[in-house]
Amino acid sequence: MNSQRNDTVDYKPAMGSRLRTYRLRANLTQEKMAELLDISIKHYSEVERGIKGLSVENLIKFSNISNISLDYLLKGEPGNKVLPPVLSELYETCPNEKKEELLALMKNLISLLQVSEF
């Protein structure tokens, strides 16, 4: 039973690192993230450092804010690919009738970037 307890504690530092990575890529401060999750800055800072965890409710909030799967947040498993926030927002705010065109455009851009030499 003791080893099981240790397994559940070990997720916090890795999860905190994933939360920090997202926050920095999204150009958010710890203060803003704490505000979005409705928790104290101190608590959020401790979460990023792996000292504390988030409640299930706040994990779900973070997942919804970041468009990152809970599997990835908790276990680091890339069940869903992690997109930069700006791309997620672009797709989510795109009118439904234009989403296919947007995806085709993005695929073409990827193809161009793969053949181009920088």
Side-chain angles (χ1 to χ4, degrees), residues 61-72:
K61 274 187 200 177
F62 192 96
S63 177
N64 289 337
I65 290 167
S66 65
N67 198 30
I68 297 174
S69 74
L70 290 171
D71 275 348
Y72 182 75

Side-chain angles (χ1 to χ4, degrees), residues 47-101:
V47 170
E48 279 195 3
R49 289 182 287 141
I51 297 168
K52 292 189 176 178
L54 289 174
S55 68
V56 172
E57 178 183 326
N58 281 326
L59 280 169
I60 292 169
K61 274 187 200 177
F62 192 96
S63 177
N64 289 337
I65 290 167
S66 65
N67 198 30
I68 297 174
S69 74
L70 290 171
D71 275 348
Y72 182 75
L73 289 176
L74 290 167
K75 301 185 286 183
E77 294 176 359
N80 294 333
K81 293 188 178 180
V82 179
L83 291 174
V86 67
L87 290 180
S88 296
E89 185 178 337
L90 178 65
Y91 182 78
E92 292 301 320
T93 58
C94 182
N96 286 335
E97 63 273 6
K98 296 287 186 181
K99 285 186 177 180
E100 278 189 51
E101 292 175 42

Side-chain angles (χ1 to χ4, degrees), residues 83 87 90-91 101-111:
L83 291 174
L87 290 180
L90 178 65
Y91 182 78
E101 292 175 42
L102 177 62
L103 290 174
L105 181 64
M106 292 172 84
K107 287 176 184 176
N108 287 334
L109 181 59
I110 290 168
S111 295

Side-chain angles (χ1 to χ4, degrees), residues 7-73:
D7 290 345
T8 59
V9 174
D10 291 340
Y11 80 95
K12 291 176 186 173
M15 182 185 73
S17 177
R18 288 187 285 276
L19 297 177
R20 183 176 189 275
T21 297
Y22 165 77
R23 180 181 59 76
L24 292 173
R25 285 184 182 164
N27 293 316
L28 297 172
T29 63
Q30 284 189 342
E31 292 82 3
K32 183 61 179 175
M33 233 19 260
E35 180 185 319
L36 291 169
L37 296 173
D38 197 26
I39 60 176
S40 72
I41 297 165
K42 180 179 186 260
H43 182 79
Y44 184 77
S45 172
E46 290 173 338
V47 170
E48 279 195 3
R49 289 182 287 141
I51 297 168
K52 292 189 176 178
L54 289 174
S55 68
V56 172
E57 178 183 326
N58 281 326
L59 280 169
I60 292 169
K61 274 187 200 177
F62 192 96
S63 177
N64 289 337
I65 290 167
S66 65
N67 198 30
I68 297 174
S69 74
L70 290 171
D71 275 348
Y72 182 75
L73 289 176

